[in-house]
Amino acid sequence: MDEYLAGLTTEEINEQTRMIDECTTEEMLRLMNEQDAKVPAAVAAEIPQISKAVDVLHHVLKNGGRMFYIGAGTSGRLGVLDASECPPTFGIDPSRVQGHIAGGDGALRLAVEGCEDSEEEGVALIEQCGVTDKDAVIGITASGSAAFVIAGLQRAREIGAATIGVVNNKPSKLEKVCDICIAPVVGPEVIMGSTRLKAGSAQKLVLNMLSTCTMVKLGKTYDNLMVDLKASNIKLRDRSIRIIKSATGVDDATAAAHLESASMNCKLAIMMIKTGLEAGAAEHALNQAEGSLKKAIKGFNHVV
C-alpha cells in the first residue's frame, strides 16, 4: 500500500455518507447537497494564494506569454473546459490559453487512467507546447501525486516558466514543484475517492477565478460586461446588442448599426458610440490603452 495515497484526505471514507446505499433518493440528494456546501468555504480559504496566481497570470499574458492548464482525468477535463471557454467569452486567441489532458483529446471522452502515471508524457507535453520562460503552467491534480502533472511542472520550472498548482490535499507532492500552490481541502468524498465530486467542484471554482479575474485585469470587460466577445452567432449578436445598449444607453437600432460598423466587435462599437470616433480611430485609441475600454474612454475624454 502506498503510504502517501493512504494518507490523503481525498482517499478517506466519509462517515457522514457511509450508509448512502440505504438512503431514499431524496436522502441521497440531501447528503450530496450538504457535502457540496462545504466547497465554497474551502475555496475562500485559498483566496490569498489564488490572488497571487492571478497577478502572475496577468503579468504573463500582458507581456505576450501564454498560460497552460495540464491535468489528468477530471482535473485535466476541467482545465480544457476552462481554457476552451476563454476565446468566446473574452476574445483571446486560443493559443494564449490552452488546456491539455494526459492521454490527449481522446481522454476527454473516454477515461485513459494509466496516462497520469507517465512522467515522460508530462515532460513531452511541455516540450511539444514550446513552453518558455515567458509562460505560466497550471498543474491540476486532486491527489497532488499525478506523475504526469508533477513531471510537467518540474520541466516547466526548469525552463523558467511560472508554475502554479491546484490540489485538494495538504501537504502534497505537488506543492514542492510549483511557485504558488492553491489547495482547497474539501474533505472525504461522498463516494470514497471519487474526486470528480467535491474536489472537482472546488477545482472548477478555482479555475473560474484564475481565468476570469486575469481577463478582467487585462481589460477584457467593461464594468462586468462581456465586451470582448465576438458576435459569431445569433445568440452572441443579440447579447452584443444588449451589452452595447447597457454600456451606452442607445436604442436597439443604434446599437445594431454600430455593431455592424465595428465588424461585429462589441468593444469597438461601444468605443465609437462613447467617443463619436470612426472605427479606425476608435480601434487606434483602444490599442493605445492596451485594449482597456474604460481606460481608452477616460483617455479620450481627458484629451477632449
Side-chain angles (χ1 to χ4, degrees):
M1 186 172 68
D2 187 306
E3 290 186 12
Y4 175 83
L5 294 176
L8 296 176
T9 301
T10 49
E11 291 295 326
E12 293 176 2
I13 295 173
N14 191 326
E15 293 299 331
Q16 294 175 316
T17 63
R18 183 181 280 274
M19 306 298 286
I20 193 170
D21 62 340
E22 298 181 17
C23 291
T24 66
T25 301
E26 185 168 330
E27 287 170 342
M28 282 192 285
L29 297 173
R30 293 195 182 282
L31 277 177
M32 289 194 70
N33 186 244
E34 289 167 4
Q35 290 295 308
D36 287 341
K38 301 176 185 289
V39 173
V43 173
E46 293 299 301
I47 283 178
Q49 292 297 95
I50 299 171
S51 177
K52 293 176 185 176
V54 167
D55 287 342
V56 167
L57 294 173
H58 172 239
H59 175 79
V60 164
L61 291 179
K62 184 179 180 181
N63 289 282
R66 301 165 295 169
M67 57 184 280
F68 298 87
Y69 290 121
I70 65 170
T74 296
S75 298
R77 294 183 189 99
L78 289 171
V80 172
L81 171 63
D82 197 67
S84 66
E85 289 293 341
C86 285
T89 306
F90 300 112
I92 193 166
D93 189 279
S95 67
R96 303 291 306 285
V97 183
Q98 300 181 31
H100 296 275
I101 183 172
D105 287 352
L108 291 170
R109 188 176 295 275
L110 297 174
V112 189
E113 301 295 349
C115 290
E116 75 174 61
D117 297 326
S118 175
E119 294 182 355
E120 293 79 10
E121 288 192 24
V123 172
L125 172 65
I126 297 301
E127 294 178 346
Q128 288 165 9
C129 289
V131 172
T132 73
D133 57 3
K134 293 182 178 180
D135 300 324
V137 179
I138 303 104
I140 317 161
T141 162
S143 68
S145 65
F148 172 86
V149 176
I150 290 174
L153 281 179
Q154 283 178 325
R155 181 63 186 131
R157 206 176 198 184
E158 289 169 2
I159 292 169
T163 52
I164 299 165
V166 180
V167 62
N168 299 101
N169 287 275
K170 289 182 182 179
S172 71
K173 293 179 179 179
L174 187 72
E175 67 187 44
K176 299 174 183 177
V177 297
C178 52
D179 303 321
I180 301 168
C181 188
I182 301 165
V185 178
V186 294
E189 296 288 1
V190 170
I191 304 300
M192 177 193 169
S194 184
T195 52
R196 70 185 180 87
L197 300 175
K198 290 190 295 183
S201 295
Q203 290 173 4
K204 180 66 169 70
L205 292 179
V206 169
L207 301 191
N208 285 350
M209 289 177 162
L210 291 177
S211 58
T212 302
C213 294
T214 297
M215 295 300 157
V216 171
K217 288 173 71 70
L218 287 169
K220 296 293 186 179
T221 63
Y222 179 74
D223 293 338
N224 65 347
L225 300 176
M226 190 193 296
V227 294
D228 248 332
L229 88 167
K230 296 297 184 286
S232 56
N233 60 35
I234 293 172
K235 179 185 72 175
L236 294 180
R237 183 181 183 278
D238 183 75
R239 183 184 298 167
S240 295
I241 291 172
R242 285 184 280 112
I243 287 171
I244 293 167
K245 289 174 60 182
S246 178
T248 64
V250 301
D251 58 23
D252 282 21
T254 303
H258 279 81
L259 185 61
E260 291 288 343
S261 297
S263 302
M264 310 310 285
N265 184 321
C266 183
K267 179 189 281 186
L268 182 58
I270 295 170
M271 183 68 185
M272 292 166 66
I273 294 169
K274 285 281 195 178
T275 63
L277 295 171
E278 294 298 322
E283 186 172 16
H284 176 73
L286 280 169
N287 290 336
Q288 291 295 106
E290 298 179 315
S292 171
L293 178 57
K294 190 164 284 187
K295 187 186 296 184
I297 292 170
K298 287 180 178 178
F300 175 82
N301 290 336
H302 178 72
V303 171
V304 174

